[in-house]
Amino acid sequence: MRSQLTAGLMIAAASAAVMTGLAATPKNALGAIAVSPDGATVVAAGDNRVLYVLDPATLEVKNRVYLGVNPYDAFFSKDGATLALVDTDGNVHLLSSADWSEKTKITGGTVVALSAGADTFATLSYATSEGDAYKTPLTVYAIGDGSKKLEASIAGQATALVAAADGSGYAVMLERKEDAAEKKEDVPADVTDEAAKAEFEQKHDGYTTEIVMLDGTGKETARVTSWYSTYDTMVGSYEGGTAYFIGYSNDNLKIAADGTASMFKLPPSYLYGIGVGPDGKKIAAGSLRDGTVYDLAAGTGSTYELDNQEGWPEYFEGFGFAPDGSVYGGTTAYRLAHIGADGTIIAAKPVY
């Protein structure tokens, strides 16, 4: 089944040396979605390497632009003049929204995290080593012109990056490591709740990871060893000193600077598509035709579900957030769904 194949690909990718995030397997979907800050334009791109420019109300295609690269994610600058398009090699192409021509290309990243309020994005690059000491480069760029705003180095091999919406801080997850200090135990028979079982397993599987928190200048402010570890490609948010890491398996982590941590699940099953809202407070996630628009701080969310089509199952793979709180989600069937904040399917239409 697709879920087994996807999980296997993720494990293989995560097992490679410092392989993370966006140097990734294509989504095989309409998976890169973005909404202009004024809500007047929606763009969607998929594995056919075409950028579709759509009317947000009717979902009619107004323009088609051949990209020549395989898109993975997309987001606009604060003024809407620039579209940042991330490809499956981890490059970020900055396109002029006036004519969709490429202004510049940022190379060398493996993970990208957006700070929409600061009009910047951060990247992690492959770790370098001197002996057994690894360092992972962190670079912050302006979305508008690609100029560098910050360069920093994180001790260790980083596998995930989340950012504060205002650019005031970042949190990084390091590679999963075997840890003799964590005793391996099977889940007791009386632990039957699925969430409790998942957390017990994490605390007793003999593996840990480090979470590193940085301020807006790239200075390390906290480093904690967490009982949580994963092979998943993780995305998420960093707000108020708390980091949220969310991945395909839906065994997600909330962790504070002092190491206080808990796991949480979103309403769907596995998370094929995950989008982080520009304010860093909302998550859109999708599984097999269904999903959620979820408030991280409240721990609650609305749910939605598309109509069922014949043939192979349809999965959500990408999301873009509109200023009115609604969400646009793209699927493996090349459908674009406009989803209200309350989970209502406002419209759904094939894009081609």
Side-chain angles (χ1 to χ4, degrees), residues 129-341:
S129 66
E130 294 181 7
D132 293 330
Y134 284 89
K135 291 185 177 180
T136 303
L138 169 73
T139 311
V140 178
Y141 300 90
I143 302 173
D145 60 9
S147 59
K148 288 184 182 179
K149 297 298 183 182
L150 170 68
E151 291 183 277
S153 183
I154 302 162
Q157 293 177 277
T159 63
L161 168 69
V162 297
D166 62 0
S168 61
Y170 306 91
V172 172
M173 181 180 290
L174 302 190
E175 67 172 346
R176 181 177 190 257
K177 288 186 176 181
E178 194 165 6
D179 190 339
E182 185 173 280
K183 184 180 178 182
K184 293 184 180 181
E185 293 182 20
D186 293 331
V187 180
D190 61 349
V191 179
T192 57
D193 177 76
E194 289 301 318
K197 285 172 66 175
E199 187 160 316
F200 188 95
E201 288 170 349
Q202 280 280 2
K203 290 179 175 179
H204 300 88
D205 64 358
Y207 288 89
T208 60
T209 191
E210 285 186 302
I211 306 296
V212 183
M213 297 181 179
L214 314 167
D215 66 17
T217 70
K219 179 183 177 182
E220 183 175 319
T221 57
R223 179 179 290 254
V224 296
T225 297
S226 173
W227 42 262
Y228 180 94
S229 66
T230 183
Y231 284 123
D232 274 3
T233 297
M234 307 296 279
V235 299
S237 179
Y238 181 56
E239 294 297 322
T242 298
Y244 299 86
F245 291 96
I246 301 162
Y248 164 79
S249 68
N250 205 5
D251 290 327
N252 310 306
L253 176 67
K254 175 182 178 180
I255 186 166
D258 64 0
T260 302
S262 60
M263 289 174 62
F264 65 99
K265 285 185 176 289
L266 304 188
S269 53
Y270 294 103
L271 308 181
Y272 289 89
I274 307 168
V276 182
D279 63 359
K281 302 179 187 301
K282 296 288 180 64
I283 294 290
S287 187
L288 198 161
R289 295 190 297 112
D290 65 346
T292 185
V293 181
Y294 191 85
D295 186 302
L296 288 169
T300 59
S302 61
T303 58
Y304 61 85
E305 185 172 4
L306 276 179
D307 59 293
N308 191 15
Q309 293 192 319
E310 295 183 13
W312 191 261
E314 181 179 14
Y315 301 82
F316 278 94
E317 289 281 1
F319 296 93
F321 286 74
D324 65 359
S326 65
V327 175
Y328 292 82
T331 78
T332 54
Y334 271 66
R335 284 206 289 175
L336 187 67
H338 187 193
I339 306 161

